[in-house]
Amino acid sequence: MASVAHTHDVLIVGSGAAGLTAALNLADRFRVVVLAKGKLSDGSTAWAQGGIAAVLEEGDTFESHIEDTMIAGAGLNNRKTVEYVVENAPAAIERLAQLGVPFNEGDTERWHLTREGGHSHRRIVHVDDATGWAVQQALEKAAEAHPNITLVPDMAAIDLVTGRHGRRYSGEGHVWGVYALNRRTDRVELFTARATILATGGAGRTYLYSTAPRGATGDGIAMAWRAGCRVSNMEMMQFHPTCLYNLEVKNFLITEAVRGEGGQLKLPGSGHRFMPDFDPRAELAPRDVVARAIDHEIKRLGLDYVHLDISHRPPEFVKEHFPNIYTKLIGLGIDITREPIPVVPAQHYTCGGIIVDLKGRTDLPGLYAVGECTQSGLHGANRLASNSLLECFVFGEAAAAHIGRHWDELPEPPPIRGWDESRVTDSDEEVIVQHNWREIRRFMWDYVGIVRTTKRLERAHHRIRLLRREVEDYYGNFRVTADLIELRNLIEVADLIVRSALRRKESRGLHYTLDYPNMLLDAQDTVLTP
Ligand code: FAD
Ligand code: SIN
């Protein structure tokens, strides 16, 4: 059967904040298609709680937001990128408000601003404690209403189409689109375009415990790497200090804004408030510091969790500020207005990724990348809270503007081969995929977590080499499934994380190793070249 092929002006892989922002900024001039692996709102965007950082308060300054970002990032940030994003933040918030995002209003200021770790001012606009859901809904509504945007859920991109897939053409390295598995028909389809934007989100599911949704398997990073893009700082995996500890609900985040509004971290039993023992900023120190302190106390005392306590604030205040968390936890038998919340650190954000410039351009012509799948220079060695949605809006718009300005230089896609399934069969051993999924996530958690050693990293690297052979063999022989696509990407990304971690001979930001506990004077990105 001939494979199905689609051609558009611009192809966007990913329907979260980054992908939809790019789509909305392109659609007045171009025919845009947006692919999503599952439902349109399955990405991390819809799960974001705390909010979006921007300088909006009297007395706050760009300089202060820039400094806070650089301090959290342990100096590894690219100052130009930080300045660019911070200075564009207020306009990005204004555009979201115009799209209908119902940000909470302030008493005296236009919007209520909350506070999060590492920020020296109140500067987080939010929609209660479910900001991401409101943002995702507003973006989706606008995209659905636009006649030039085609939204395609249940379409899992497998690989980028490059010069080597041409029938006659060989434009080395140029990207012309993707092959993608239609999960409704189980057929592979071809999507071509003059420009392709990866907006595929992070790789949190490389770890056993993560606040990220099921689809955060680093697909875009793995696809870009396989096609020939450099990636950077993949060792900088952010662990959020406060994920709910519950045997049934495994990845429910307790927003940092709880600490921003006075929540305290305490040891179960004694009730001792331990963060002041670790850092003068206590619960509002940057995330890497708080997560390491919790990890330290859990390991030292053999605990399952620590407590996050906001019950000293008036019940009405707590319910008004955190209505979703309150309702969710009441359903689990925890009344946060009267008792503490059991919490543990969990993987939360992928700071590293595909290297991009200020226009979202990757190393390959025709290919852009935006949002959490990128390393733009904004986050450095540790992302400052609520800077990531912001990055999606600013870079989504920047990539769209660059495509618009350079449209005439982007060639039409050449004829491309269809997907070849002539030498594969249906798998009779699905168990291998499930087993390897679990195994990767387990050893990444145990060996490549919050505190690292060279020996543990080497152990993980050894396991990855063995698994990679098995997965490649499986991929070469059997028809692709969504799980297999993700497993192949997980192993690729796990490899990038471990190789990057082995290269960094210091402790900086999120990368903390007992073998090199000090920070070097010179801050250098870890850059891997395919
Ligand atoms: P996502 O929103 O993750 O979207 C990824 C998209 O790519 C999805 O549509 C997915 O289907 C698609 N995709 C992936 N792979 C494929 C494939 N192979 N084929 C087709 N489509 C694919 N940041 C903040 O700034 N403030 C917050 O308050 C905040 N809270 C957070 C709370 C939680 C629980 C989590 C997990 C993250 C939070 N973050 C927060 C981080 C922030 O939500 C993310 O960094 C951001 O939403 C990423 O947006 P994105 O558009 O890059 O990717
Ligand atoms: C949170 O609400 O704690 C998450 C904020 C973020 O990840 O930026």
PDB file of all heavy atoms in Angstrom, residues 43-55:
ATOM      1  N   GLY A  43       0.820  17.343  26.854  1.00  0.00           N
ATOM      2  CA  GLY A  43       2.186  17.753  27.207  1.00  0.00           C
ATOM      3  C   GLY A  43       2.278  18.345  28.606  1.00  0.00           C
ATOM      4  O   GLY A  43       1.266  18.464  29.317  1.00  0.00           O
ATOM      5  N   SER A  44       3.476  18.766  28.982  1.00  0.00           N
ATOM      6  CA  SER A  44       3.692  19.337  30.321  1.00  0.00           C
ATOM      7  C   SER A  44       2.955  20.655  30.503  1.00  0.00           C
ATOM      8  O   SER A  44       2.613  21.032  31.617  1.00  0.00           O
ATOM      9  CB  SER A  44       5.180  19.613  30.549  1.00  0.00           C
ATOM     10  OG  SER A  44       5.890  18.429  30.588  1.00  0.00           O
ATOM     11  N   THR A  45       2.757  21.380  29.399  1.00  0.00           N
ATOM     12  CA  THR A  45       2.159  22.711  29.521  1.00  0.00           C
ATOM     13  C   THR A  45       0.877  22.673  30.349  1.00  0.00           C
ATOM     14  O   THR A  45       0.686  23.488  31.257  1.00  0.00           O
ATOM     15  CB  THR A  45       1.874  23.281  28.112  1.00  0.00           C
ATOM     16  OG1 THR A  45       3.122  23.409  27.429  1.00  0.00           O
ATOM     17  CG2 THR A  45       1.200  24.647  28.190  1.00  0.00           C
ATOM     18  N   ALA A  46       0.015  21.716  30.029  1.00  0.00           N
ATOM     19  CA  ALA A  46      -1.284  21.663  30.706  1.00  0.00           C
ATOM     20  C   ALA A  46      -1.133  21.355  32.198  1.00  0.00           C
ATOM     21  O   ALA A  46      -2.044  21.596  32.970  1.00  0.00           O
ATOM     22  CB  ALA A  46      -2.165  20.620  30.035  1.00  0.00           C
ATOM     23  N   TRP A  47       0.028  20.815  32.583  1.00  0.00           N
ATOM     24  CA  TRP A  47       0.227  20.424  33.983  1.00  0.00           C
ATOM     25  C   TRP A  47       0.897  21.511  34.815  1.00  0.00           C
ATOM     26  O   TRP A  47       1.058  21.360  36.023  1.00  0.00           O
ATOM     27  CB  TRP A  47       1.091  19.166  34.057  1.00  0.00           C
ATOM     28  CG  TRP A  47       0.418  17.927  33.566  1.00  0.00           C
ATOM     29  CD1 TRP A  47      -0.614  17.829  32.682  1.00  0.00           C
ATOM     30  CD2 TRP A  47       0.750  16.590  33.945  1.00  0.00           C
ATOM     31  NE1 TRP A  47      -0.938  16.518  32.482  1.00  0.00           N
ATOM     32  CE2 TRP A  47      -0.128  15.726  33.235  1.00  0.00           C
ATOM     33  CE3 TRP A  47       1.699  16.026  34.790  1.00  0.00           C
ATOM     34  CZ2 TRP A  47      -0.078  14.339  33.356  1.00  0.00           C
ATOM     35  CZ3 TRP A  47       1.754  14.641  34.919  1.00  0.00           C
ATOM     36  CH2 TRP A  47       0.877  13.815  34.209  1.00  0.00           C
ATOM     37  N   ALA A  48       1.330  22.576  34.159  1.00  0.00           N
ATOM     38  CA  ALA A  48       2.075  23.605  34.902  1.00  0.00           C
ATOM     39  C   ALA A  48       1.178  24.224  35.973  1.00  0.00           C
ATOM     40  O   ALA A  48       0.008  24.505  35.724  1.00  0.00           O
ATOM     41  CB  ALA A  48       2.585  24.674  33.945  1.00  0.00           C
ATOM     42  N   GLN A  49       1.740  24.414  37.131  1.00  0.00           N
ATOM     43  CA  GLN A  49       0.931  24.915  38.249  1.00  0.00           C
ATOM     44  C   GLN A  49       1.260  26.366  38.573  1.00  0.00           C
ATOM     45  O   GLN A  49       0.431  27.264  38.499  1.00  0.00           O
ATOM     46  CB  GLN A  49       1.171  24.054  39.498  1.00  0.00           C
ATOM     47  CG  GLN A  49       0.624  22.649  39.376  1.00  0.00           C
ATOM     48  CD  GLN A  49       0.743  21.872  40.684  1.00  0.00           C
ATOM     49  OE1 GLN A  49       1.295  22.346  41.666  1.00  0.00           O
ATOM     50  NE2 GLN A  49       0.224  20.665  40.676  1.00  0.00           N
ATOM     51  N   GLY A  50       2.548  26.593  38.964  1.00  0.00           N
ATOM     52  CA  GLY A  50       2.945  27.855  39.581  1.00  0.00           C
ATOM     53  C   GLY A  50       2.631  29.081  38.755  1.00  0.00           C
ATOM     54  O   GLY A  50       1.894  29.971  39.181  1.00  0.00           O
ATOM     55  N   GLY A  51       3.149  29.175  37.533  1.00  0.00           N
ATOM     56  CA  GLY A  51       2.854  30.338  36.712  1.00  0.00           C
ATOM     57  C   GLY A  51       3.968  30.695  35.755  1.00  0.00           C
ATOM     58  O   GLY A  51       4.765  29.849  35.342  1.00  0.00           O
ATOM     59  N   ILE A  52       4.025  31.980  35.415  1.00  0.00           N
ATOM     60  CA  ILE A  52       4.964  32.484  34.407  1.00  0.00           C
ATOM     61  C   ILE A  52       5.665  33.708  34.991  1.00  0.00           C
ATOM     62  O   ILE A  52       5.008  34.623  35.505  1.00  0.00           O
ATOM     63  CB  ILE A  52       4.209  32.888  33.121  1.00  0.00           C
ATOM     64  CG1 ILE A  52       3.300  31.730  32.658  1.00  0.00           C
ATOM     65  CG2 ILE A  52       5.188  33.292  32.027  1.00  0.00           C
ATOM     66  CD1 ILE A  52       2.233  32.157  31.675  1.00  0.00           C
ATOM     67  N   ALA A  53       6.993  33.725  34.879  1.00  0.00           N
ATOM     68  CA  ALA A  53       7.767  34.811  35.493  1.00  0.00           C
ATOM     69  C   ALA A  53       7.873  35.999  34.537  1.00  0.00           C
ATOM     70  O   ALA A  53       8.144  35.825  33.340  1.00  0.00           O
ATOM     71  CB  ALA A  53       9.165  34.314  35.846  1.00  0.00           C
ATOM     72  N   ALA A  54       7.673  37.204  35.070  1.00  0.00           N
ATOM     73  CA  ALA A  54       7.863  38.432  34.279  1.00  0.00           C
ATOM     74  C   ALA A  54       7.970  39.608  35.243  1.00  0.00           C
ATOM     75  O   ALA A  54       7.377  39.591  36.325  1.00  0.00           O
ATOM     76  CB  ALA A  54       6.687  38.650  33.330  1.00  0.00           C
ATOM     77  N   VAL A  55       8.724  40.611  34.834  1.00  0.00           N
ATOM     78  CA  VAL A  55       8.869  41.816  35.662  1.00  0.00           C
ATOM     79  C   VAL A  55       7.627  42.686  35.454  1.00  0.00           C
ATOM     80  O   VAL A  55       7.443  43.281  34.394  1.00  0.00           O
ATOM     81  CB  VAL A  55      10.158  42.576  35.271  1.00  0.00           C
ATOM     82  CG1 VAL A  55      10.223  43.923  35.972  1.00  0.00           C
ATOM     83  CG2 VAL A  55      11.367  41.718  35.603  1.00  0.00           C
TER      84      VAL A  55
END
